[in-house]
Amino acid sequence: MKHPIKTSESDPAFLEEITEEAGAEKILMCFNCKGCSTGCPVTDVVPQYNIKKLLRMSAMGLRDRVLNSEHLWYCTTCFRCQERCPEGVKTVDTMLKLRSIAVKNGVMLPAHKKIAEYVMRTGHGVPIDEQNRKKRKELELDELPGTVHSCPEAIEEVRQLIKACGFDRLIGFDQPSRA
Ligand code: SF4
Ligand code: SF4
């Protein structure tokens, strides 16, 4: 069932926040030609996905609807829509700004929190596994890359950086000793 938009849902401060980003104010130039949504590869998988709709809701200041929309996370950032827009609307840059606002407000998909937790625990979103160690050796690379994997003591610095931005609280991470 579709939910009609109420004027009370519109938050002008949301639009101000989005348009802090250079170029994001261009979402107000959108004239609804659908050039961005046509040909978006995500729609092959999720037909309801519509970048134009998300941007239009943002321009209307519909903070809660936008930040709580799963569609916010579907874009692959291929930039096809941004290159096509005849008005030069920064579709992807604006999408990234919306994601950033969502994360600052603690809105993330569980899978994203899980990846962030891996970074806190191991220094990597995708920690190395046996298969990749083996592959690296076959390619005559060091078995471990020159990251926290080969310099485990650096994990404390990674954690300090993440904590300094308060990101650990956003993802609900409170057990650094599990690494
Ligand atoms: S291509 Fe640009 S002008 Fe056309 S609907 Fe998309 S954002 Fe709006
Ligand atoms: S950048 Fe995102 S919204 Fe734009 S065409 Fe690619 S997947 Fe679709």
Side-chain angles (χ1 to χ4, degrees):
M1 192 178 98
K2 291 194 176 170
H3 299 286
I5 296 168
K6 296 182 187 141
T7 48
S8 57
E9 286 183 72
S10 178
D11 176 1
F14 183 50
L15 183 58
E16 271 173 37
E17 195 175 352
I18 298 165
T19 53
E20 273 170 8
E21 203 75 26
E25 73 286 350
K26 288 215 164 198
I27 58 173
L28 298 171
M29 306 284 287
C30 171
F31 66 105
N32 206 22
C33 73
K34 302 187 176 72
C36 52
S37 44
T38 308
C40 167
V42 174
T43 58
D44 293 342
V45 185
V46 187
Q48 316 89 292
Y49 177 72
N50 188 330
I51 173 87
K52 177 188 69 69
K53 189 174 166 190
L54 211 52
L55 296 177
R56 178 55 61 98
M57 290 198 301
S58 303
M60 292 170 74
L62 302 177
R63 169 187 278 273
D64 290 345
R65 289 194 189 228
V66 171
L67 297 189
N68 292 305
S69 169
E70 277 211 352
H71 289 192
L72 193 55
W73 309 101
Y74 290 170
C75 169
T76 64
T77 65
C78 72
F79 278 84
R80 192 185 288 182
C81 54
Q82 190 157 314
E83 284 165 357
R84 284 178 170 203
C85 176
E87 287 293 335
V89 176
K90 307 276 186 202
T91 53
V92 187
D93 296 337
T94 305
M95 169 73 76
L96 294 175
K97 175 69 180 178
L98 291 170
R99 286 180 179 175
S100 165
I101 295 171
V103 170
K104 275 187 198 156
N105 285 277
V107 181
M108 273 176 272
L109 294 180
H112 293 160
K113 286 191 179 178
K114 199 79 197 160
I115 290 172
E117 192 183 318
Y118 272 129
V119 177
M120 282 296 278
R121 287 170 56 194
T122 71
H124 286 264
V126 182
I128 197 161
D129 58 11
E130 280 309 314
Q131 194 184 4
N132 278 317
R133 282 178 186 242
K134 194 164 157 245
K135 191 61 134 182
R136 288 179 65 87
K137 281 205 278 190
E138 282 167 12
L139 295 169
E140 298 184 359
L141 295 167
D142 291 336
E143 186 179 341
L144 294 172
T147 63
V148 175
H149 281 322
S150 56
C151 185
E153 61 277 14
I155 188 65
E156 282 313 321
E157 290 177 33
V158 172
R159 287 180 185 150
Q160 272 175 23
L161 282 170
I162 294 174
K163 285 182 177 176
C165 354
F167 194 63
D168 57 324
R169 289 193 301 279
L170 287 177
I171 62 171
F173 187 89
D174 60 358
Q175 299 173 54
S177 59
R178 279 190 294 166

